[in-house]
Amino acid sequence: MALTRRGVLLAGAGVAGALVVGWGVMPPRQRIRGSSLPAVSAGQFALNGWVTLAADGTVTVQLARSEMGQGVSTSLAMLLADEMDADWATVRTQASPIASIYNNVATVVDGLPFHPDDHGMLQRTLAWFTAKAMREFGIMVTGGSSSVKDLWLPMRQAGCAARGMLVAAAARRWNVPPGECRAQAGRVLHGSGKELAYGALAEDAAREAMPDSLQLKQPGSFNIIGKAVKRLDNAAKLNGTARFGIDVLPPGMLYASVLMCPTLGGSVRSFDGAAAAAMPGVKNVVAVPPLFGATGGVVTIADRPYRATRALEQVAVQWDAGAAAAMDSEQILQRLAQGLDDQKGFAFYSTGDVEAALQGAAKRIQAEYRAPYLAHSAMEPMNCTVLLRDGRATVWVSTQVPDLARMAVAKVLGLASEQVDVLVQFLGGGFGRRLDVDFIAQAAAIASHVPGTPVQTIWSREQDLQHDFYRPACVARFEAGFDAAGALQAWRNVSTGQAIVPQMLRRVVGVPGALDKTASEGAFDQAYEWPNARIAHAAVELPVPVGLWRSVGHSHQAFFKESFVDEAAHAVAQDPVAFRLGLLQRHHRHRAVLETVAAIADWGRPLPPAADGAPQARGVALHQSFGSVVAQVAEVSLAPDKSIRVHRVWCVIDCGLAVNPNLIRQQMESAVVFGLSAALYGGVKIVQGQVQQSNFHDQPVLRMPQCPVVETKIVPSTEPPEGVGESGTPPLAPAVANAIFALTGQRLRSLPLTLA
């Protein structure tokens, strides 16, 4: 490991050392019961911070993570219900309040810049302190594919504790030892034949003390976990009763339309809203400043969305463009490439002497790869509804960070956090965009102009796409060296681009950034056993707003790395699968995933032509992200116009224990479609600080006829679950690019993938 990196981390450990020693040596506090219990209605009783039980037997699980299609409302409820021995038919979920027991610990611990194979004292110490700090002072966040991983134990412990309280209540009523009772499918049973439904015990159980010790089930005893149970949110989404942020309809609501400065980060110099204000139904025309990293703009507030939108067209605005006006996409890529000439970058991983190994190599190859800025393009555009009344604010919003949303609204309106109620709705797509709070702060500022009335702020698709926090553009250079026998001896990789986390920290919480693992993740944190290697990243400051995009750094670094691995295999005339296996001698989990995908995809067997007679070829990629290992094989052909067609994707994932196999398959299919959209079409072009794309006609996403068949195999495991929601995206682009090379001999090193 690079000494400079160790020095940085030791500095962080020094800060942690300033904490009270007694606090530091104690284990993290329990995450089952907070300072207060969830609010209950008549006939409901709270058993702990995660579950309430009604007299009719309904089990309501507190959902502390946002449901944005990934199925988290089902998977988390499964964890608790299984340990509680609840009847699955009685289980429901509701959004939890904001409290520290619901903080996400795993995503921050996983964000520490360590290689997955590094389990040394420094890593363990910093992970320990970070986990403790996040339990007390962290945030509720849905991101980093961490929901199930983070709550794997707390949700099960909460269910186990609830079961113990129910058994104790039944035993007390029957005057028998609790050890003579057992729970099963929503009932407590006694050997004598007595039984009581959970609902009948709810009030008594709520008065019982939590058990002193919790005996969690072993995997072989699970009744719900591991089963392909139906999603709890299915019915509401099928019958139209599911409520997304844009569906909120409090009485008397007004609507706000926003036009932001065309230049990223710009603001309003002056405006004339007289003509707009005179139109029917228009209540107000105001300007909003840049808030939490957003761009400033003008707003029309009206009684109907159509009237607000039409009125906006009549507002005359003079803009202050700001620093981004001097930036173009091509200039940015040139600057990034220049950065590779001028900087060695920060080494996130190094081993051996890569310079000496390259100098002594019998053969060397080099390549440069590029990736553009990417928009999130969530189906539900940014929106938020705010009501300011009697010194309190109510916020209806689709967000991945409810406590940061509360903080932003409180700051804008001059309220205490306790005076802000955040009601989290279903998310019509998040992909990391709803980790930011700019649109929420903006909505609060707009609502302040009409106190006492709820106002729903809705961005148009054009405003959404042109005022995103984009995945950073990135340029990477590689060099590999081989000995005379064709064995890899050296691997050098340096990339350059903007660092996301420091920028996010500055705009959201106003603190300086730290070392950003996401800039190099997907490059440095892989299992390949390089004999000599140096993997680094040089961060560049640019006035383009960047944010977390599904799979973050892995999304482009996997394309770079897995494409160049294929180049290395080709340089020494080795099969791409065999070449990778040769670099995974000590990583049996990765070998098993790669060998499995090769077997089910019939790797090495010639492919028949596509339906129209066009030749087909396969490409492979292997990547680890968010704790899971995924390998994909893509089957590709070319249309007569040379456009790329992906017919089939074989996907194998080892994500630890599969809590719900159906949800995992759905997420792999989603990840393939999302990743293929970006690989074939994704990329925004910036001219004088203005994003040129405006809607799906010039920033397409994959359509149904273009979707490949996706066949997923889940590797059986009893290890704790790892991330799923993002892990299927990174291997897709390189698998397709490698298939194109096998088909045409042309190596595509820039995204989106386009043949000359």
Side-chain angles (χ1 to χ4, degrees):
M1 196 61 61
L3 184 60
T4 53
R5 173 176 172 276
R6 184 175 296 274
V8 171
L9 294 174
L10 284 171
V15 174
L19 298 172
V20 178
V21 173
W23 180 86
V25 298
M26 292 171 61
R29 288 200 299 145
Q30 57 83 20
R31 299 172 66 189
I32 303 174
R33 188 175 183 127
S35 56
S36 61
L37 293 173
V40 295
S41 55
Q44 271 190 320
F45 304 91
L47 303 184
N48 54 56
W50 295 94
V51 60
T52 64
L53 179 62
D56 65 0
T58 300
V59 175
T60 302
V61 177
Q62 299 297 304
L63 187 62
R65 301 293 178 261
S66 299
E67 177 60 76
M68 47 189 168
Q70 80 278 42
V72 69
S73 56
T74 302
S75 54
L76 293 181
M78 290 173 67
L79 302 182
L80 188 145
D82 200 319
E83 291 287 356
M84 187 177 174
D85 277 315
D87 178 357
W88 182 248
T90 69
V91 177
R92 308 289 184 269
T93 65
Q94 69 178 27
S96 75
I98 297 173
S100 62
I101 64 165
Y102 307 125
N103 289 347
N104 191 323
V105 173
T107 192
V108 183
V109 173
D110 288 349
L112 294 172
F114 290 95
H115 192 284
D117 292 344
D118 185 350
H119 302 293
M121 178 62 72
L122 180 60
Q123 185 274 338
R124 288 183 283 117
T125 300
L126 284 183
W128 178 262
F129 274 99
T130 300
K132 285 176 58 61
M134 289 305 102
R135 164 60 176 88
E136 306 299 329
F137 314 114
I139 59 173
M140 290 172 58
V141 56
T142 306
S145 298
S146 61
S147 294
V148 170
K149 178 177 182 176
D150 180 61
L151 296 177
W152 167 245
L153 287 178
M155 295 296 280
R156 293 174 59 213
Q157 290 166 344
C160 181
R163 168 167 44 94
M165 294 163 70
L166 286 158
V167 167
R172 193 180 303 277
R173 189 176 295 186
W174 293 329
N175 196 27
V176 298
E180 293 182 3
C181 305
R182 63 186 177 89
Q184 180 180 318
R187 309 182 73 81
V188 179
L189 312 175
H190 185 258
S192 65
K194 298 176 182 177
E195 63 178 68
L196 283 168
Y198 277 2
L201 293 165
E203 187 172 6
D204 290 350
R207 290 194 290 263
E208 293 286 340
M210 280 209 313
D212 293 330
S213 62
L214 300 174
Q215 298 298 317
L216 298 179
K217 295 180 180 180
Q218 295 300 308
S221 300
F222 291 150
N223 298 311
I224 301 174
I225 296 172
K227 304 295 192 300
V229 302
K230 294 181 179 179
R231 295 173 62 132
L232 293 177
D233 56 339
N234 267 358
K237 290 179 177 177
L238 289 171
N239 64 29
T241 60
R243 195 164 73 172
F244 295 81
I246 210 165
D247 297 324
V248 170
L249 288 171
M253 187 172 74
L254 299 176
Y255 298 86
S257 289
V258 184
L259 176 66
M260 285 171 279
C261 178
T263 306
L264 295 168
S267 59
V268 177
R269 179 182 301 165
S270 64
F271 75 97
D272 182 354
M279 295 178 69
V282 175
K283 306 299 182 182
N284 213 334
V285 182
V286 300
V288 288
L291 295 167
F292 291 86
T295 298
V298 292
V299 180
T300 51
I301 305 171
D303 58 353
R304 300 176 190 172
Y306 177 73
R307 286 176 167 175
T309 301
R310 288 297 303 273
L312 197 59
E313 298 170 359
Q314 302 304 313
V315 181
V317 193
Q318 296 293 319
W319 303 107
D320 263 331
M327 302 302 297
D328 291 345
S329 293
E330 289 305 315
Q331 294 172 346
I332 290 170
L333 288 172
Q334 290 172 10
R335 180 170 172 181
L336 296 182
Q338 183 65 42
L340 293 177
D341 294 331
D342 299 340
Q343 301 183 57
K344 287 188 174 182
F346 180 86
F348 282 83
Y349 178 82
S350 63
T351 186
D353 188 338
V354 71
E355 296 299 332
L358 285 169
Q359 290 297 321
K363 183 174 185 176
R364 294 164 66 169
I365 61 171
Q366 298 176 329
E368 180 176 294
Y369 284 82
R370 297 186 173 196
Y373 288 105
L374 278 183
H376 292 82
S377 300
M379 189 58 65
E380 180 187 16
M382 297 300 103
N383 67 89
C384 178
T385 304
V386 180
L387 168 62
L388 177 61
R389 175 185 291 166
D390 300 329
R392 295 193 64 84
T394 303
V395 183
W396 295 265
V397 66
S398 303
T399 180
Q400 296 174 246
V401 280
D403 45 359
L404 291 183
R406 182 176 68 173
M407 174 271 294
V409 171
K411 183 174 181 179
V412 169
L413 298 178
L415 302 174
S417 291
E418 295 74 23
Q419 295 172 297
V420 179
D421 299 314
V422 176
L423 307 177
V424 179
Q425 311 299 307
F426 280 128
L427 281 62
F431 313 125
R433 177 62 180 95
R434 287 179 161 92
L435 289 167
D436 269 283
V437 296
D438 57 308
F439 64 101
I440 302 171
Q442 184 190 78
I446 294 168
S448 70
H449 291 278
V450 281
T453 303
V455 183
Q456 183 175 94
T457 299
I458 307 175
W459 290 13
S460 67
R461 173 62 59 195
E462 289 76 10
Q463 294 297 298
D464 187 286
L465 200 152
Q466 294 178 334
H467 294 90
D468 203 341
F469 292 102
Y470 304 95
R471 188 197 71 179
C474 191
V475 176
R477 286 183 186 159
F478 291 84
E479 187 169 9
F482 309 86
D483 64 18
L488 183 71
Q489 295 300 305
W491 181 273
R492 182 166 63 192
N493 168 212
V494 183
S495 58
T496 183
Q498 290 169 266
I500 300 169
V501 173
Q503 192 187 106
M504 285 191 72
L505 288 174
R506 287 196 300 269
R507 69 175 174 249
V508 176
V509 294
V511 300
L515 184 65
D516 187 2
K517 170 191 174 183
T518 70
S520 188
E521 66 182 3
F524 85 93
D525 51 359
Q526 298 303 296
Y528 292 125
E529 298 151 10
W530 319 118
N532 300 279
R534 183 179 187 274
I535 302 172
H537 182 82
V540 175
E541 290 282 348
L542 293 167
V544 178
V546 293
L548 301 168
W549 190 90
R550 188 176 186 176
S551 75
V552 202
H554 294 282
S555 66
H556 49 279
Q557 294 286 3
F559 167 65
F560 302 158
K561 178 261 302 179
E562 281 299 290
S563 295
F564 194 66
V565 168
D566 248 48
E567 290 203 53
H570 179 73
V572 292
Q574 290 190 33
D575 174 81
V577 170
F579 183 80
R580 287 171 170 81
L581 290 172
L583 296 172
L584 296 168
Q585 297 299 313
R586 300 187 301 276
H587 290 81
H588 303 295
R589 181 184 176 211
H590 299 73
R591 288 181 62 89
V593 169
L594 183 57
E595 289 171 338
T596 301
V597 81
I600 64 175
D602 285 333
W603 183 264
R605 179 183 61 82
L607 277 170
D612 62 355
Q616 293 190 97
R618 299 186 188 90
V620 66
L622 172 74
H623 194 75
Q624 178 176 349
S625 61
F626 307 96
S628 293
V629 182
V630 177
Q632 292 175 353
V633 170
E635 296 183 358
V636 174
S637 73
L638 299 181
D641 63 357
K642 291 192 176 180
S643 61
I644 298 168
R645 304 181 300 190
V646 181
H647 301 283
R648 185 182 300 272
V649 175
W650 300 92
C651 180
V652 175
I653 180 171
D654 181 346
C655 57
L657 189 145
V659 173
N660 187 323
N662 267 0
L663 294 178
I664 294 170
R665 292 188 181 92
Q666 289 169 12
Q667 282 303 290
M668 291 303 101
E669 293 167 5
S670 163
V672 166
V673 171
F674 192 82
L676 191 54
S677 294
L680 298 184
Y681 314 119
V684 297
K685 184 178 180 181
I686 299 172
V687 176
Q688 295 181 338
Q690 299 182 14
V691 172
Q692 302 302 293
Q693 286 74 16
S694 62
N695 210 314
F696 290 127
H697 71 283
D698 54 8
Q699 182 67 133
V701 295
L702 211 64
R703 305 290 177 167
M704 288 297 290
Q706 300 164 312
C707 287
V709 175
V710 182
E711 302 198 24
T712 300
K713 181 174 178 60
I714 303 165
V715 175
S717 176
T718 57
E719 295 297 313
E722 297 286 353
V724 170
E726 298 169 89
S727 301
T729 294
L732 192 281
V736 173
N738 293 336
I740 291 297
F741 177 77
L743 186 65
T744 68
Q746 184 175 343
R747 182 66 65 181
L748 303 181
R749 299 190 179 97
S750 294
L751 293 171
L753 302 171
T754 305
L755 281 164

